[in-house]
């Protein structure tokens, strides 16, 4: 599941992780991304020290046997973590889905923690490139879910997603116990406060505010990528 930051990606991981037949993995390229980019994220040194920084070994894990005797491996992926040096051919060994969110809402959320994001920090450009690569490689349109649809109509959206990837819908996906998980990344203590208190997808509420003028060009570039994927969304 390819998402950018400031989306409902962790809630989506909770939803799939609540299925008895599903194992989950949380942002497997994050340690590699932090080591290569030098980004000063909270707990970056700890993430690097305790994670897999060799992208080839990460790919082996993602395309290899599913752990714990499960039938499904749900991979929570951040599009901007898939740096250009990572070979894309392994994407043919997995089922790729895309979780999108309106860039205005992403930017307004993002600048609360980082007021000066670069275009590549927001993941939209990378998301479209991955989407287009998968579409060319498979000859099919990857399943795409919009965060607003997901929050307004969670059961309908999850049923559409499950059908699109050839799986049966499971009622357990609609709610989950609160708290952190052993499968959460070591960075959960810095980022997952809100989702740790959640037990279901939260109802959609529009974000207040407008994108600052200094970020208008970035917003327009993100909007083009978002609109490209939005036309293919499941609804």
């Amino acid at each position: 599941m390819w998402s950018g930051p400031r989306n409902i990606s962790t809630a989506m991981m909770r939803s799939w992780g609540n299925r008895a037949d599903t194992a989950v993995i949380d942002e497997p390229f994050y340690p590699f991304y932090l080591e290569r980019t030098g980004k000063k994220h909270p707990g970056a040194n700890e993430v690097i020290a305790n994670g897999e920084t060799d992208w080839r070994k990460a790919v082996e894990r993602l395309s290899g046997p599913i752990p714990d005797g499960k039938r499904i491996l749900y991979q929570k992926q951040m599009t901007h973590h898939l740096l250009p040096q990572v070979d894309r051919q392994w994407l043919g060994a997995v089922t790729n889905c895309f979780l999108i969110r309106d860039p205005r809402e992403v930017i307004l959320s993002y600048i609360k923690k980082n007021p000066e994001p670069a275009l590549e920090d927001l993941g939209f450009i990378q998301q479209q490139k991955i989407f287009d690569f998968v579409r060319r490689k498979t000859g099919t349109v990857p399943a795409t879910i919009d965060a607003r649809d997901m929050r307004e109509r969670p059961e309908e959206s999850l049923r559409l997603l499950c059908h699109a990837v050839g799986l049966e819908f499971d009622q357990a996906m609609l709610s989950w116990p609160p708290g952190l998980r052993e499968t959460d990344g070591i960075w959960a203590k810095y980022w997952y406060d809100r989702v740790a208190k959640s037990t279901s997808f939260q109802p959609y509420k529009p974000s207040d505010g407008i994108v600052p003028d200094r970020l208008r060009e970035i917003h327009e570039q993100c909007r083009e990528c978002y609109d490209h994927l939005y036309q293919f969304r499941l609804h």
Side-chain angles (χ1 to χ4, degrees):
M1 182 65 76
W2 294 101
S3 173
R6 315 313 300 167
N7 204 334
I8 57 169
S9 57
T10 310
M12 188 70 89
M13 180 173 67
R14 285 287 183 275
S15 172
W16 283 86
N18 211 43
R19 293 177 61 119
D21 60 359
T22 302
V24 300
I25 186 168
D26 191 7
E27 299 183 29
F29 292 110
Y30 192 31
F32 158 75
Y33 169 81
L34 289 176
E35 184 184 58
R36 288 300 180 96
T37 63
K39 295 282 186 181
K40 301 303 181 185
H41 287 193
N45 291 338
E46 184 182 10
V47 173
I48 292 169
N50 289 275
E52 181 53 72
T53 57
D54 183 337
W55 67 261
R56 293 171 183 84
K57 291 182 180 178
V59 165
E60 287 177 8
R61 183 182 178 194
L62 297 173
S63 54
I66 299 174
D68 304 324
K70 304 290 187 177
R71 190 165 64 97
I72 302 163
L73 175 61
Y74 181 87
Q75 305 173 12
K76 177 195 169 192
Q77 298 276 15
M78 293 286 108
T79 59
H80 55 299
H81 293 173
L82 197 70
L83 296 176
Q85 57 265 51
V86 179
D87 181 68
R88 293 335 193 230
Q89 294 307 311
W90 70 276
L91 294 174
V94 298
T95 301
N96 296 276
C97 305
F98 293 81
L99 179 63
I100 60 175
R101 187 187 183 192
D102 187 297
R104 183 186 71 86
E105 297 190 341
V106 171
I107 291 171
L108 290 176
S109 175
Y110 195 96
I111 61 178
K112 292 176 182 178
K113 288 183 177 286
N114 179 357
E116 300 296 337
L119 176 62
E120 60 267 21
D121 293 333
L122 300 172
F124 285 91
I125 298 289
Q126 300 94 320
Q127 191 172 47
Q128 181 175 341
K129 287 181 177 179
I130 299 168
F131 180 91
D132 289 343
F133 176 88
V134 171
R135 193 179 176 200
R136 287 193 306 269
K137 188 171 183 64
T138 64
T140 60
V141 177
T144 303
I145 287 285
D146 186 75
R148 178 171 178 173
D149 292 338
M150 189 72 243
R151 295 175 70 174
E152 288 182 336
R153 300 180 299 278
E155 181 168 347
E156 177 186 341
S157 297
L158 287 169
R159 286 183 179 276
L160 286 169
L161 176 59
C162 288
H163 178 75
V165 298
L167 296 170
E168 68 286 353
F169 168 73
D170 188 330
Q171 202 74 26
M173 302 174 77
L174 293 174
S175 61
W176 50 84
L180 297 177
R181 307 284 191 271
E182 288 185 3
T183 49
D184 290 341
I186 201 168
W187 50 88
K189 57 192 173 188
Y190 302 108
W191 299 101
Y192 292 0
D193 285 353
R194 182 175 295 180
V195 80
K197 297 173 184 174
S198 75
T199 56
S200 64
F201 290 100
Q202 299 304 296
Y204 175 75
K205 294 180 181 177
S207 301
D208 294 328
I210 59 173
V211 174
D213 286 344
R214 70 182 187 278
L215 299 176
R216 184 175 298 171
E217 184 175 342
I218 285 178
H219 173 253
E220 290 173 357
Q221 291 176 276
C222 293
R223 171 67 58 184
E224 290 180 11
C225 298
Y226 171 76
D227 287 346
H228 176 65
L229 269 69
Y230 187 82
Q231 67 182 314
F232 298 110
R233 85 191 200 282
L234 299 170
H235 66 289

